[in-house]
């Protein structure tokens, strides 16, 4: 049962691309080979092969699932980063916010990054739904079919083995009875030569010899019948039933290889979408960058921050006057709060007069004070930022700059007193078993490092766990970390 050798194959394969050097002999030797003709009695090899490649299928399904997780995690983190930076740009104050065309360019970049993140997430979902899950289902189907093929193969070989065992038994019986017939014949012949043997004894030996001979003839017939049956079954086994089952094994493997190819083609097709996505986003970002106009942005900044101040006249000489050391027409003025704070020397927290109040009334009073102090702190923070700008503005006017610096110092001191008052009131409120707002006590985790820009803000590192004391619709939350409190931007943290 030799394999059919193929005809000579043209190096051009009927007009297709030329074969690489060394591949033609490989194809010549293997093109027409098949399981049915070249793997006779190879069931054990096929059992191991099909079991091994099914394990590969399981690993492939697991690989695509893990790759799906990686892609979706990357998409999630990329989108979170882009969205967080976009929110930071949108919420930044006037002194930090980028100008028109530059701001628009950043918006375009971050939006395109969000699109790329969405595509990675979509790719991850396809990997799981179309590749990992399908491969798992295919594995179940192929396992069921393999079990049937192995069962059929073992039954086939077992039946053939049983037939050969029956043949060996038939021949052993034939040999044994032939020996017995020869021995009976020898005794009969010996009896004939013994003149002292009685006729009855001689007749008995003759009868025994005849019976033994008849048994030998019958066993010989049985042996030859079993031999014919075995040869017939063996011929059918090697030319029909075994090749047929081997063909089913080959079909099983061909189908698996085709499925493997289709799976890889799907994966390649999905990957081919990425260059287009990235190229489209890159083109969009490039157009946004090209639209940045320095003159337009400078003009926009000047328009929004125009002071309307004209250059002052020269400062006149003021002679020293021992009774009035200040320049003529100048009076020393006390600091006037920019915030319009009406709190004066208000006493914060609970006083002895509040001891008679109920616990709910005490909590209500303290919560109102916390809210009031938060507004004062925010207002004073803005006033301090304005004074900082004023100090920089008067860089060429030492007298005015000194006055602005004094006001800034007083503003910082007042801001510090407000923060201390708030912490004190908050401490009393916590002591009553309550919090200052519905979100108090929520824990968050820092996504990025944040360095406070003023005394009322709280610095933290990525990975720090903070406790939120109060949330605000402005995007700034009041938080506690290691005994310190202050405002933090909510787009720099996530729930923990």
């Amino acid at each position: 049962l030799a394999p059919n050798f193929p005809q000579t194959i043209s190096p051009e394969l009927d007009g297709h691309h030329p074969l690489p050097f060394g591949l033609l002999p490989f194809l010549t030797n293997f093109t027409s080979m098949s399981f049915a003709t070249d793997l006779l009695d190879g069931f054990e090899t096929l059992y191991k092969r099909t079991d091994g490649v099914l394990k590969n299928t399981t690993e492939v399904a697991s690989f695509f699932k893990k790759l799906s997780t990686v892609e979706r995690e990357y998409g999630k983190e990329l989108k979170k980063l882009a969205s967080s930076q976009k929110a930071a740009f949108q919420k930044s104050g006037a002194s930090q916010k980028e100008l028109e065309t530059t701001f628009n360019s950043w918006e375009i970049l971050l939006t395109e990054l969000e699109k790329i993140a969405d595509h990675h997430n979509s790719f991850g979902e396809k990997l799981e739904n179309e590749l990992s899950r399908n491969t798992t289902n295919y594995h179940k189907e192929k396992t069921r079919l393999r079990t049937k093929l192995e069962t059929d193969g073992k039954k086939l070989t077992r039946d053939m083995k049983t037939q050969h065992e029956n043949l060996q038994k038939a021949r052993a019986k034939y040999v044994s009875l032939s020996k017995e017939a020869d021995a009976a014949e020898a005794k009969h012949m010996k009896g004939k030569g013994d003149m002292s043997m009685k006729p009855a004894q001689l007749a008995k030996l003759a009868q025994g010899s005849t019976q033994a001979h008849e048994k030998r003839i019958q066993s010989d017939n049985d042996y030859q019948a079993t031999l014919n049956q075995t040869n017939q079954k063996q011929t059918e086994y090697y030319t029909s039933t075994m090749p047929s089952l081997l063909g089913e094994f080959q079909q099983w493997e061909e189908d698996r290889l085709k499925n493997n190819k289709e799976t890889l083609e799907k994966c390649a097709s999905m990957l081919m979408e990425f260059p287009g996505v990235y190229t489209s986003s890159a083109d969009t970002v490039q157009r946004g960058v090209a639209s940045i106009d320095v003159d337009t942005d400078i003009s926009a900044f000047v328009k929004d921050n125009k002071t309307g101040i004209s250059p002052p006249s020269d400062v006149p000489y003021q002679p020293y006057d021992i009774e009035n050391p200040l320049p003529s027409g100048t009076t020393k003025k006390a600091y006037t709060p920019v915030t319009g704070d009406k709190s004066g020397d208000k006493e914060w927290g609970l006083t002895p007069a509040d001891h008679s109040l109920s616990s709910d009334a005490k909590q209500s009073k303290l919560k109102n004070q916390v809210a009031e102090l938060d507004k004062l702190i925010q207002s004073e923070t803005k006033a301090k930022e304005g004074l900082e700008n004023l100090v920089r503005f008067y860089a060429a006017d030492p007298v005015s700059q000194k006055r602005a610096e004094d006001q800034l110092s007083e503003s910082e001191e007042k801001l510090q007193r407000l923060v201390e008052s708030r912490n004190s009131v908050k401490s009393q409120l916590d002591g009553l078993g309550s919090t200052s707002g519905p979100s108090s006590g929520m824990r968050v985790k820092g996504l990025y490092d944040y360095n406070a820009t003023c005394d009322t803000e709280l610095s933290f590192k990525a990975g720090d766990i903070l406790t939120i004391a109060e949330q605000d619709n402005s995007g700034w939350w009041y938080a506690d970390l290691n005994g310190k409190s202050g405002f933090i931007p909510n787009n720099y943290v996530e729930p923990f």
Side-chain angles (χ1 to χ4, degrees):
L1 298 176
N4 294 322
F5 291 99
Q7 298 178 351
T8 302
I9 299 177
S10 168
E12 298 294 328
L13 284 183
D14 297 330
H16 290 78
H17 295 294
L19 293 171
F21 177 76
L23 183 57
L24 179 59
F26 180 87
L27 290 179
T28 302
N29 290 333
F30 292 98
T31 299
S32 296
M33 286 191 173
S34 68
F35 287 14
T37 58
D38 300 287
L39 292 182
L40 295 177
D41 281 338
F43 282 130
E44 290 298 328
T45 298
L46 292 176
Y47 299 156
K48 293 178 181 178
R49 169 65 182 175
T50 52
D51 182 60
V53 294
L54 278 178
K55 293 178 181 177
N56 289 347
T57 306
T58 302
E59 293 175 0
V60 167
S62 175
F63 164 76
F64 282 126
K65 188 171 182 61
K66 292 176 181 178
L67 182 59
S68 168
T69 301
V70 169
E71 286 291 332
R72 285 190 285 190
E73 284 295 326
Y74 175 73
K76 176 183 176 182
E77 292 300 321
L78 178 60
K79 188 160 188 176
K80 182 187 295 183
L81 176 61
S83 299
S84 174
Q85 188 59 45
K86 183 185 287 188
F89 274 132
Q90 293 171 345
K91 293 179 180 180
S92 58
S95 62
Q96 186 180 350
K97 187 173 183 179
E98 286 291 352
L99 301 174
E100 291 185 357
T101 60
T102 303
F103 178 83
N104 292 337
S105 183
W106 273 104
E107 281 274 306
I108 291 172
L109 170 62
L110 297 173
T111 299
E112 292 304 316
L113 287 176
E114 288 176 331
K115 292 180 181 178
I116 291 174
D118 289 339
H119 190 75
H120 277 280
N121 185 63
S122 175
F123 177 50
E125 291 178 353
K126 288 181 179 179
L127 285 172
E128 180 171 3
N129 296 331
E130 299 182 23
L131 298 186
S132 177
R133 192 172 299 169
N134 287 352
T135 302
T136 299
N137 293 335
Y138 184 77
H139 174 268
K140 294 178 181 178
E141 176 188 343
K142 298 300 285 185
T143 299
R144 179 186 57 77
L145 183 56
R146 178 198 173 278
T147 300
K148 179 181 179 303
L149 291 175
E150 183 176 0
T151 300
D152 292 346
K154 289 182 176 180
K155 182 180 183 303
L156 199 63
T157 53
R158 185 170 57 250
D159 290 347
M160 193 68 247
K161 181 180 178 182
T162 299
Q163 183 63 39
H164 276 282
E165 290 174 349
N166 292 337
L167 177 62
Q168 291 175 358
K169 291 178 181 179
R171 185 180 184 283
K173 183 178 181 180
Y174 162 66
V175 171
S176 176
L177 291 177
S178 294
K179 289 180 180 180
E180 290 179 3
D182 289 343
E185 178 67 19
K187 286 182 180 181
H188 181 230
M189 295 302 295
K190 184 178 180 182
K192 282 184 177 182
D194 186 359
M195 302 302 296
S196 62
M197 182 171 289
K198 296 178 179 181
Q201 291 178 325
L202 184 61
K204 185 176 181 180
L205 289 176
Q207 183 181 7
S209 175
T210 301
Q211 291 176 348
H213 180 69
E214 290 175 351
K215 289 181 179 179
R216 177 174 61 180
I217 293 174
Q218 183 60 44
S219 66
D220 185 19
N221 292 335
D222 292 343
Y223 168 55
Q224 291 191 43
T226 304
L227 178 63
N228 291 333
Q229 184 182 15
T230 300
N231 285 329
Q232 181 180 357
K233 194 166 186 176
Q234 179 173 278
T235 299
E236 182 182 359
Y237 177 74
Y238 280 97
T239 61
S240 178
T241 54
M242 181 192 290
S244 177
L245 188 56
L246 289 173
E248 291 184 44
F249 270 101
Q250 179 169 334
Q251 183 61 46
W252 186 96
E253 179 66 352
E254 287 177 355
D255 184 67
R256 187 193 68 83
L257 293 173
K258 290 176 182 177
N259 180 265
N260 213 344
K261 181 178 180 181
E262 291 173 359
T263 300
L264 292 175
E265 286 175 344
K266 285 183 181 179
C267 185
S269 178
M270 294 176 189
L271 289 172
M272 284 298 294
E273 296 176 8
F274 274 100
V277 173
Y278 275 92
T279 299
S280 175
S281 292
D283 290 342
T284 302
V285 172
Q286 185 61 40
R287 289 193 296 272
V289 173
S291 69
I292 294 178
D293 189 305
V294 175
D295 291 338
T296 299
D297 288 356
I298 292 295
S299 298
F301 178 76
V302 172
K303 180 180 178 181
D304 292 341
N305 298 275
K306 190 174 182 180
T307 62
I309 297 177
S310 301
S313 58
D314 293 342
V315 178
Y317 171 73
Q318 298 288 338
Y320 174 72
D321 184 348
I322 191 170
E323 295 182 357
N324 184 20
L326 291 174
S328 175
T330 302
T331 58
K332 187 173 182 179
K333 297 182 179 179
Y335 168 71
T336 302
V338 182
T339 62
D341 174 30
K342 305 298 182 182
S343 62
D345 296 326
K346 179 175 179 178
E347 186 174 2
W348 299 102
L350 298 175
T351 65
D354 298 324
H355 289 334
S356 61
L357 296 175
S358 66
S359 177
D360 290 343
K362 290 177 181 179
Q363 290 184 25
S364 177
K365 178 178 179 179
L366 292 174
K367 288 180 180 180
N368 291 336
Q369 288 187 4
V370 169
E372 183 179 354
L373 282 165
D374 284 341
K375 292 180 180 179
L376 291 173
I377 289 171
Q378 292 181 15
S379 179
E380 192 62 33
T381 299
K382 293 180 181 178
K384 186 174 77 70
E385 292 177 354
L387 288 170
E388 289 172 345
N389 292 333
L390 200 58
V391 169
R392 289 190 292 270
F393 177 76
Y394 282 123
D397 186 351
V399 176
S400 298
Q401 187 180 52
K402 180 62 170 62
R403 188 181 302 115
E405 288 174 346
D406 292 340
Q407 292 179 347
L408 177 60
S409 178
E410 292 182 31
S411 177
E412 290 174 343
E413 292 176 2
K414 178 181 179 183
L415 191 56
Q416 183 62 32
R417 290 196 301 273
L418 289 171
V419 172
E420 291 174 355
S421 296
R422 187 199 185 282
N423 291 339
S424 177
V425 174
K426 179 65 168 57
S427 178
Q428 290 185 10
L429 184 59
D430 291 342
L432 292 174
S434 179
T435 59
S436 61
S439 299
S440 177
M442 181 178 73
R443 301 176 74 198
V444 296
K445 179 180 179 181
L447 293 173
Y448 324 101
D449 292 350
Y450 180 75
N451 296 318
T453 59
C454 62
D455 295 339
T456 60
E457 295 179 0
L458 179 64
S459 297
F460 58 90
K461 300 289 186 182
D464 283 348
I465 306 302
L466 303 90
T467 301
I468 301 302
E470 185 172 350
Q471 294 184 9
D472 188 272
N473 293 332
S474 66
W476 289 89
W477 294 353
Y478 200 80
D480 299 323
L481 175 64
N482 299 329
K484 296 182 180 180
S485 302
F487 290 98
I488 63 170
N490 63 5
N491 59 330
Y492 274 62
V493 297
E494 66 177 357
F496 177 72

